[in-house]
Every structure is written in structure tokens, then in C-alpha cells.
Amino acid sequence: MREPLDREALHEALVTPGQPWTGVDVHPELGSTNLEAGRLAEPWRVVVTDHQVAGRGRLGRAWDTPARTSVTLSVLVPAPDRGRGWMPLATGLAVRDALAEVAGVESGLKWPNDVLLPADGERKVCGILCELQPAGIVVGLGINVDQDRAELPVDTATSLRLAGAAEVSRDRLVVAVLTHLARWHAALSGGAQDRAAVHAAYRKACLTIGREVELHVAGGDVRRARAVGVDDEGRLVVAGAGTEYAVAAGDVVHVRSGTADTP
């Protein structure tokens, strides 16, 4: 049975000494959690909904999921003085940690903002959208939890249920994601050694490094290259046409067996 999120339980678990979260707003239905978090402009206040009806992905893509089947949340966090470009990457680490902890599912990260399940053909289980605001960075994410195949918009997507993790508590998953997000954000906001630990953890978890990729860049151009690393600014380093260069933005498609997939 697809239960609604429990606002009181979430508040009790998150708004507690040692955690930065200041409040939890649970909406039965909401257009966009990112827009609501940006409107509130309150650092560390969580916005979560049982049904997001006007979700936005990167490049203005719209998406929707059935009610009570996903974890869809946003929160405004202070922008780290150094490493703003690392926020979507650190958020991916938080999701990866939470999936292992709550669902027992191993995942990998696709630069810059997707979480994939390698055991399910590298299908996408989570998307991340970070938006810079005057008061900080709005971190938004959506995790597919309970959808069956017919409820997913594309074949390259998956859910925890389809990956064999049925009956995952969305409340527990929200708490785990935010707990790990606070930890990774603190590391990004810390000293050089802490930031280096974030960088190393991401590079280890990143499925894009070492892959042939297609880069869909501004103007509609598509470039074929090999991803060779992620630099200290969070940019993807690729090798192509006899040179290496860093890519800060754009769509990346993993190339497999002569075809492009995992958009």
C-alpha cells in the first residue's frame, strides 16, 4: 500500500540537535519542490511532496510520477565558499549512501546529476537538479521508489521496486538522504582535506569516468570523447581530438556497444 509521508515522524527525525534542518514541509501535492524551496528562501528547510505535478529536470525537461511512488524533495543549503560546482555531485553521493543504507541497493553516479543502478542495466533511479539562488543553492532530487515498469516514462529509468527492493519506507529514505546530504555538505564547506575526501569519494563512485561519452553542448553540437576524470572544480575532464579539456555543463550520454544510451 502506498502510504503518505509522515510529517511528524520526519520532523522528529530531522529537526534534532546535531542536524542543520530547521523544518519539514510535507505537501500532498505540489507543482515543483524546487520552486517552493526557492520561494521560501529559508536555508535548511525541507520541502517534500507525495505528488509533484510540474517537476523540472535539467534543460527545462518536465516530468511527473504517480502519487506516493517517489521521494521528491528540495532544500535550500548555503553555497560552499569553494566547490559550488560540487553540490550536485555531493548530492549524488548522499543518495547513493541512502540507497545502500535503506534499500540495500548498490548504485553508481553519472556525471553530473544522475544516480544509476548498474545491476539493472545502468538505468536511472534518481535525478538531481541544483539551482543557484541569492540565498544559497536549491538542491532538488527525485528517487523512483515504488513504480512498476508501466509507470515509468522511459525504458532507461527504473525504480527500487523493479531492482528488487520492494516495500522501501519513503520516510526512512528521506531521512537517510538528508542526513547524508548534511554530512557531505559539511565536508564541502570544510578545509582542503575534507573537500579532497568528497572529490575522492565521487571519483570512485562515478560510472562516467573511463567511458566513451557523447557530449550534447550548447548550440546543439554533439561531441564524442572519452571521460578521463573529474577535476577539482567538479567539471568532467574528457579526451578527444588529441587533447584533454574540462566540461562544466551539458548533457552526457554513456556510449555502449556502438550505441548511445542512458541519457
Side-chain angles (χ1 to χ4, degrees):
M1 185 174 179
R2 293 172 175 177
E3 298 288 343
L5 291 165
D6 187 332
R7 188 262 175 194
E8 291 186 5
L10 292 175
H11 190 276
E12 182 177 351
L14 291 167
V15 185
T16 184
Q19 289 276 10
W21 314 106
T22 61
V24 182
D25 297 335
V26 177
H27 298 264
E29 184 175 289
L30 193 64
S32 165
T33 57
N34 262 35
L35 286 178
E36 179 65 9
R39 184 190 69 80
L40 291 172
E42 295 183 27
W44 302 110
R45 188 169 190 90
V46 180
V47 177
V48 61
T49 183
D50 277 319
H51 189 202
Q52 180 168 256
V53 297
R56 297 176 300 121
R58 290 182 68 248
L59 305 180
R61 296 188 181 104
W63 55 274
D64 187 14
T65 58
R68 302 179 182 178
T69 61
S70 301
V71 162
T72 308
L73 66 84
S74 299
V75 62
L76 178 72
V77 300
D81 291 335
R82 302 175 69 177
R84 294 181 181 184
W86 274 90
M87 272 312 306
L89 314 189
T91 303
L93 287 171
V95 172
R96 181 176 182 267
D97 292 343
L99 294 183
E101 177 183 318
V102 176
V105 171
E106 293 299 319
S107 56
L109 306 179
K110 173 175 171 283
W111 186 93
N113 61 349
D114 291 341
V115 182
L116 310 180
L117 300 188
D120 192 15
E122 288 196 359
R123 287 183 169 89
K124 177 177 174 178
V125 73
C126 172
I128 296 161
L129 178 64
C130 292
E131 298 178 300
L132 185 63
Q133 304 283 346
I137 298 174
V138 173
V139 175
L141 60 92
I143 304 172
N144 297 328
V145 177
D146 196 48
Q147 294 97 321
D148 60 32
R149 177 62 60 195
E151 292 174 316
L152 293 168
V154 292
D155 184 60
T156 52
T158 190
S159 69
L160 297 180
R161 172 176 288 280
L162 289 173
E167 308 302 329
V168 171
S169 165
R170 291 189 301 131
D171 290 308
R172 287 187 59 210
L173 194 54
V174 168
V175 172
V177 167
L178 292 174
T179 299
H180 288 295
L181 179 62
R183 177 171 60 87
W184 288 114
H185 179 276
L188 272 185
S189 304
Q193 187 172 356
D194 290 331
R195 293 194 303 274
V198 179
H199 301 173
Y202 182 83
R203 289 166 182 145
K204 183 177 180 180
C206 183
L207 299 172
T208 306
I209 296 174
R211 297 285 291 270
E212 292 292 323
V213 297
E214 287 184 348
L215 305 172
H216 295 246
V217 296
D221 290 341
V222 179
R223 304 173 187 169
R224 186 78 169 259
R226 184 173 184 82
V228 295
V230 173
D231 69 12
D232 288 346
E233 302 300 318
R235 300 174 299 181
L236 185 69
V237 180
V238 298
T243 186
E244 288 188 3
Y245 55 97
V247 178
D251 258 9
V252 171
V253 177
H254 290 178
V255 176
R256 182 191 305 155
S257 301
T259 62
D261 60 2
T262 318

